[in-house]
Amino acid sequence: TWGSAGLSMGNIAGGGLCCPQEDEEFEPFHGTGGVVRLLIVVLNYHYSPGNELTAISDGIRMERMARWAEVEDITIMKDDRTVHPADPLFPTARNVCMMIQEVGNRCRPGDYFIFFYAGHGENVPDAPPYDEDDGFDEAFCTPGPQYQLEDRWFLIDDVFAMALERSIRPYCRILVLSDCCHSATICDIDSRNWRSHSLCSISACQDSEESADTGKGGYLTIALDRAVDELSILPGRSEYSIGTLYKAAGKYGRNISKYQRMSMSWANLDPDLTPWPLPRPFWKRLEG
């Protein structure tokens, strides 16, 4: 089973959050023995004049969110000047897929694998298996081994989805966070049979839209951080669902940009019953 949702859903369109209560079937994640394993891929493109971003700051923010949630297994891939292109942590498409496999090898049933990407996203002509109704694949704009920023070096959605399916064990939940343009269907949830994999994808915008870089971080990252911050102070809610988090993030997203719509899609899970894996203890909010 799969599903999707745009930004204008439920109490987002109504404009308020107001102490959400989770369904009786909601099962918290913390305390189950499962481990969160996070792979962060962020690109600033300092080597490509005119394409520079501030995405590495998004990676720093996401790492901080994970540390506050007491996540210890964090792998960071970035393209700044401290990482040589020959380093396996330099984010070429090949290296990203290899790192998904490496982190996936550590995953066990009951764990949570999170993939976070901040950088450019692009629509490219659909390639075999020709599964896109609009004739375009979505892609993460990963560089080549010599800093080339060309379509042939990009991480295409078909390849990305295959890497997730082959590298992450079934019954280990997968959460993909894509802070980039043209990213709504980057996981091919609606066109791929995910069988026993439980997967949720939250993207900054629709496939036809571009996403805002504020100069101090990306649209989705800022919205998620502010939503987690807000939910941390709600009484009696130490954990909450992905659906609750998504609704809260949508409110903040509208304040950042009115020209894009956040997107969420899922397979083999219910986001309203599935726990958000990075809740922030309220006292962490006081630490800043």
Side-chain angles (χ1 to χ4, degrees), residues 41-48 77-80 83-85 89-96 117-120 140-155:
V41 179
V42 286
L43 298 108
N44 273 6
Y45 307 102
H46 65 86
Y47 40 83
S48 183
M77 306 182 73
K78 57 184 179 179
D79 67 344
D80 70 7
V83 183
H84 191 275
L89 289 177
F90 184 75
T92 62
R94 181 174 182 272
N95 285 350
V96 171
Y117 175 88
H120 284 300
F140 296 127
C141 296
T142 50
Q146 301 299 323
Y147 298 114
Q148 308 99 311
L149 200 58
E150 304 166 1
D151 289 10
R152 66 191 182 105
W153 299 108
F154 293 170
L155 179 53

Side-chain angles (χ1 to χ4, degrees), residues 77-238:
M77 306 182 73
K78 57 184 179 179
D79 67 344
D80 70 7
R81 292 179 175 84
T82 66
V83 183
H84 191 275
D87 191 314
L89 289 177
F90 184 75
T92 62
R94 181 174 182 272
N95 285 350
V96 171
C97 290
M98 290 178 62
M99 202 55 60
I100 291 174
Q101 182 177 27
E102 182 174 314
V103 177
N105 286 339
R106 301 196 292 270
C107 292
R108 297 292 182 269
D111 285 355
Y112 229 126
F113 173 77
I114 304 176
F115 180 88
F116 173 81
Y117 175 88
H120 284 300
E122 189 57 271
N123 290 325
V124 298
D126 193 11
Y130 301 113
D131 56 348
E132 302 288 349
D133 293 337
D134 62 359
F136 289 94
D137 279 320
E138 285 64 53
F140 296 127
C141 296
T142 50
Q146 301 299 323
Y147 298 114
Q148 308 99 311
L149 200 58
E150 304 166 1
D151 289 10
R152 66 191 182 105
W153 299 108
F154 293 170
L155 179 53
I156 308 299
D157 53 5
D158 300 327
V159 176
F160 176 62
M162 186 179 299
L164 291 176
E165 184 177 29
R166 291 181 175 180
S167 301
I168 309 302
R169 287 174 168 81
Y171 312 113
C172 170
R173 281 175 285 201
I174 301 171
L175 175 63
V176 176
L177 306 172
S178 305
D179 200 348
C180 61
C181 304
H182 313 297
S183 53
T185 62
I186 196 69
C187 290
D188 276 351
I189 286 177
D190 59 344
S191 60
R192 188 179 189 86
N193 182 3
W194 283 94
R195 295 191 288 271
S196 57
H197 284 81
S198 298
L199 169 70
C200 184
S201 171
I202 299 177
S203 303
C205 62
Q206 305 299 305
D207 286 346
S208 61
E209 296 174 340
E210 296 183 350
S211 185
D213 184 325
T214 67
K216 296 182 179 179
Y219 170 97
L220 180 64
T221 309
I222 293 173
L224 291 176
D225 191 23
R226 291 177 179 172
V228 169
D229 192 43
E230 175 180 307
L231 291 170
S232 71
I233 61 173
L234 294 182
R237 307 308 301 167
S238 60

